Amino acid sequence: MPRDHDYHQDVLALIFGWRFLDWVEVLLGISIGLGLLSAGHAVINKRDPRSASLWVILSFLLPTVGPFLYLAAGINRTQRRARRRMVGYRFRTRGGGVQGGPAELPPQVGHLESLARLGDRLLPEPLVGGNAIEPLFNGEQTFPAMLEAIAGAQRTITCCSYIYDFDDIGRQFIEALVAARRRGVQVKLLIDGIGGYWYFSRVHRTLKRSGLRPASFAPLGLLPSRLMHLNLRNHRKILVIDGRVGFTGGLNISACQLADNLENPHRFMDVHFRLRGPIVTHLQNAFADDWDFATDEVLEGPDYFPPQEPAAAGEAVARGIADGPDEHLRKLPWIIIGACQAARRSIRIMTPYFIPDAPLKSALIAAALRGVAVTILIPKVSDVPTVKWASTAYLWEFLEHGIQVVWSGPPFHHTKLMLVDDRWTLLGSANLDPRSLRLNFEFDVEVYDPRLFDALSAHIDAVAAAGDPLTLKRVDSRSLPTRLRDGVAKLFSPYL
């Protein structure tokens, strides 16, 4: 009979020894099970094979961590949530709005009728005529026009921005919005929960102290429900005054958008747009959907959606394109591919971030092989180096097929434009990269207007003339370490 002390030690050692081994086996089994579940879900649901392959690798290469990352950033819950909440909302009349739509395509559409028909099939909004769309270059032209419109608001102001910096420009907008609120204007301000640093920002605290209660789109937080939307951002830039004057494009509310600020090494060149006419209702519709998504408040009635009349001297035919991960079928990529297929003479693209997926790459190269003159302008120096590296890894395929690629700047060109032939313009917030075309909420406008086309064509020509044309020889002559770096960045391009 062993002594009690030794006996108890043996029993405890046996129990805890077996329990430790059991826990290791259980945890290993759970890790493998989670890896199989996340990998299987990615294989079945991911449309991009590169994205699915990356998640499969991470699910098994990083036990437990990989499946958790996939749960947080790889599954699109926004689509299901939006579908539950927006059914019957987006398409209903909200008091006023566009007075019908054109029964026949207007003459401005011309030979791009197939592209217009594609939009009719894909998009809920009709092409509407009688619009005036004015380009505003950089913050020097854009911010005074926006502040003047805010100062003249009588009933409602709706504003959505991805980035809202607390600098001189941000403070001017705060003062203007607070002044409008004090004189009785209904002010609805929506800022992305990460792009605007939101709850941790001085903008949020200052607005709250001023009595203006802005809203945050998918703010970052510690709750699992907040982490699930970490990768889905609202990248739209929309300002609508009294439902009649709208602004949209690529500019955020930030002093870095002042191109003449030579003291700021991070200054951006960009183009924004002032819109009047029935197209403004399309901007307001997009904002109202986002506001409902973020706050559970429905915006409707004539204060937000007054009856629209054609703008004075407005001849532009236009349509708003609101796209995002809440859509079952992403609309914007199809419109861009359709524009490439419909082009007869020229395609000109200006984008700050260019990471084309396989369909876009094929559409552009096929257009070039048909004899269409294709030109792509991308910044020589980027604010996101990894995106620039991945973008460079793609360029040889375009140069090899006769597509002209031009490095623009510095300073950094943040402009997002696509021009086809002499009639069609695509403008707005979307970049030509996977983040914009798959993950972000974006708002663009397609426009049939020769006068707007000519103004933007002259702008692109001026930027290209001052830029640095690339050749296939230059791209191929990169050093081996540089080419390896760019190639590795390209592997992660679905998430840059």
Side-chain angles (χ1 to χ4, degrees):
M1 181 74 180
R3 291 178 299 175
D4 290 344
H5 177 71
D6 293 339
Y7 175 75
H8 292 151
Q9 279 189 335
D10 292 341
V11 171
L12 290 174
L14 180 63
I15 292 173
F16 283 103
W18 276 104
R19 286 183 177 177
F20 175 75
L21 293 175
D22 289 345
W23 275 112
V24 169
E25 292 177 359
V26 169
L27 291 176
L28 182 60
I30 292 174
S31 178
I32 294 174
L34 290 175
L36 288 171
L37 286 174
S38 59
H41 191 278
V43 168
I44 293 173
N45 292 283
K46 290 296 177 184
R47 300 180 184 181
D48 188 338
R50 295 175 301 169
S51 175
S53 299
L54 182 60
W55 282 119
V56 170
I57 293 171
L58 288 176
S59 295
F60 292 109
L61 193 62
L62 300 175
T64 306
V65 176
F68 175 78
L69 290 174
Y70 181 70
L71 181 68
I75 300 176
N76 184 2
R77 292 173 182 78
T78 303
Q79 183 182 100
R80 277 175 278 175
R81 179 188 174 203
R83 198 175 299 164
R84 287 195 304 267
R85 296 182 57 186
M86 292 184 180
V87 169
Y89 171 69
R90 175 172 295 179
F91 304 107
R92 73 182 181 184
T93 302
R94 302 183 183 124
V98 179
Q99 303 303 297
E104 298 181 359
L105 293 177
Q108 292 95 322
V109 172
H111 70 274
L112 298 178
E113 179 180 345
S114 62
L115 177 57
R117 297 296 185 193
L118 174 65
D120 292 340
R121 297 289 298 273
L122 282 175
L123 304 170
E125 309 283 16
L127 279 171
V128 290
N131 303 290
I133 301 178
E134 174 189 1
L136 302 168
F137 295 96
N138 305 315
E140 283 77 5
Q141 291 186 10
T142 303
F143 295 144
M146 294 172 71
L147 290 168
E148 180 183 6
I150 291 172
Q154 298 179 2
R155 296 180 301 278
T156 61
I157 297 172
T158 54
C159 180
C160 174
S161 183
Y162 175 62
I163 292 175
Y164 194 127
D165 285 340
F166 191 79
D167 51 26
D168 181 58
I169 294 300
R171 287 190 291 271
Q172 289 183 47
F173 273 86
I174 290 175
E175 293 172 1
L177 292 171
V178 170
R181 178 70 180 86
R182 288 173 178 167
R183 66 175 185 266
V185 177
Q186 300 178 67
V187 178
K188 307 295 184 182
L189 175 60
L190 180 64
I191 304 177
D192 183 74
I194 292 182
Y197 311 111
W198 203 230
Y199 290 127
F200 309 102
S201 71
R202 295 177 67 186
V203 171
H204 174 74
R205 297 195 300 270
T206 303
L207 287 168
K208 193 173 181 180
R209 286 196 303 267
S210 301
L212 186 64
R213 299 186 62 85
S216 176
F217 190 96
L220 184 62
L222 298 179
L223 296 176
S225 60
R226 295 282 176 85
L227 292 174
M228 300 307 177
H229 296 91
L230 174 65
N231 213 27
L232 306 174
R233 309 317 319 161
N234 191 324
H235 195 241
R236 295 168 180 165
K237 292 91 174 172
I238 295 173
L239 173 66
V240 179
I241 308 298
D242 294 331
R244 295 192 179 279
V245 179
F247 295 83
T248 195
L251 269 75
N252 293 292
I253 299 176
S254 172
C256 73
Q257 305 274 187
L258 297 171
D260 291 340
N261 184 7
L262 300 179
E263 297 179 357
N264 185 354
H266 304 294
R267 59 198 175 105
F268 287 11
M269 306 282 282
D270 214 330
V271 184
H272 218 63
F273 298 86
R274 175 164 47 199
L275 303 90
R276 296 184 177 89
I279 186 62
V280 177
T281 298
H282 297 188
L283 276 69
Q284 194 77 300
N285 283 342
F287 179 88
D289 286 347
D290 290 346
W291 186 260
D292 173 58
F293 188 89
T295 69
D296 290 327
E297 180 185 3
V298 175
L299 302 182
E300 55 188 351
D303 286 348
Y304 292 98
F305 296 93
Q308 295 286 0
E309 299 293 338
E315 299 180 358
V317 176
R319 172 172 24 215
I321 305 172
D323 204 5
D326 58 325
E327 304 287 351
H328 178 67
L329 176 66
R330 296 304 304 266
K331 304 178 180 70
L332 190 57
W334 286 108
I335 295 295
I336 293 171
I337 292 171
C340 294
Q341 294 174 337
R344 293 181 182 176
R345 294 184 292 275
S346 66
I347 299 171
R348 280 178 283 181
I349 292 172
M350 192 171 183
T351 180
Y353 312 112
F354 182 66
I355 302 180
D357 59 9
L360 176 58
K361 181 173 64 177
S362 299
L364 289 170
I365 292 175
L369 293 175
R370 288 190 289 108
V372 177
V374 181
T375 302
I376 302 170
L377 277 73
I378 54 179
K380 187 171 187 178
V381 178
S382 177
D383 64 332
V384 186
T386 52
V387 173
K388 174 65 183 306
W389 301 341
S391 177
T392 304
Y394 283 96
L395 297 182
W396 67 270
E397 299 179 74
F398 296 96
L399 294 166
E400 189 177 51
H401 292 92
I403 293 176
Q404 182 183 23
V405 179
V406 179
W407 271 341
S408 61
F412 178 62
H413 283 268
H414 193 246
T415 306
K416 308 118 179 353
L417 292 173
M418 182 176 181
L419 278 63
V420 172
D421 294 344
D422 59 352
R423 294 179 178 272
W424 188 82
T425 300
L426 182 68
L427 57 94
S429 65
N431 307 304
L432 294 186
D433 65 1
R435 179 158 295 278
S436 273
L437 300 180
R438 290 176 50 244
L439 298 174
N440 287 345
F441 292 83
E442 304 283 0
F443 185 80
D444 283 61
V445 181
E446 62 167 338
V447 186
Y448 297 86
D449 183 7
R451 289 191 298 180
L452 177 66
F453 183 98
D454 291 343
L456 296 176
S457 178
H459 174 67
I460 288 180
D461 289 344
V463 174
D468 181 12
L470 282 177
T471 63
L472 183 59
K473 182 178 180 180
R474 283 182 62 186
V475 172
D476 287 343
S477 65
R478 290 171 297 155
S479 66
L480 180 59
T482 300
R483 295 171 70 178
L484 286 172
R485 178 201 67 189
D486 296 348
V488 171
K490 182 180 177 181
L491 292 177
F492 292 90
S493 59
Y495 294 96
L496 294 179

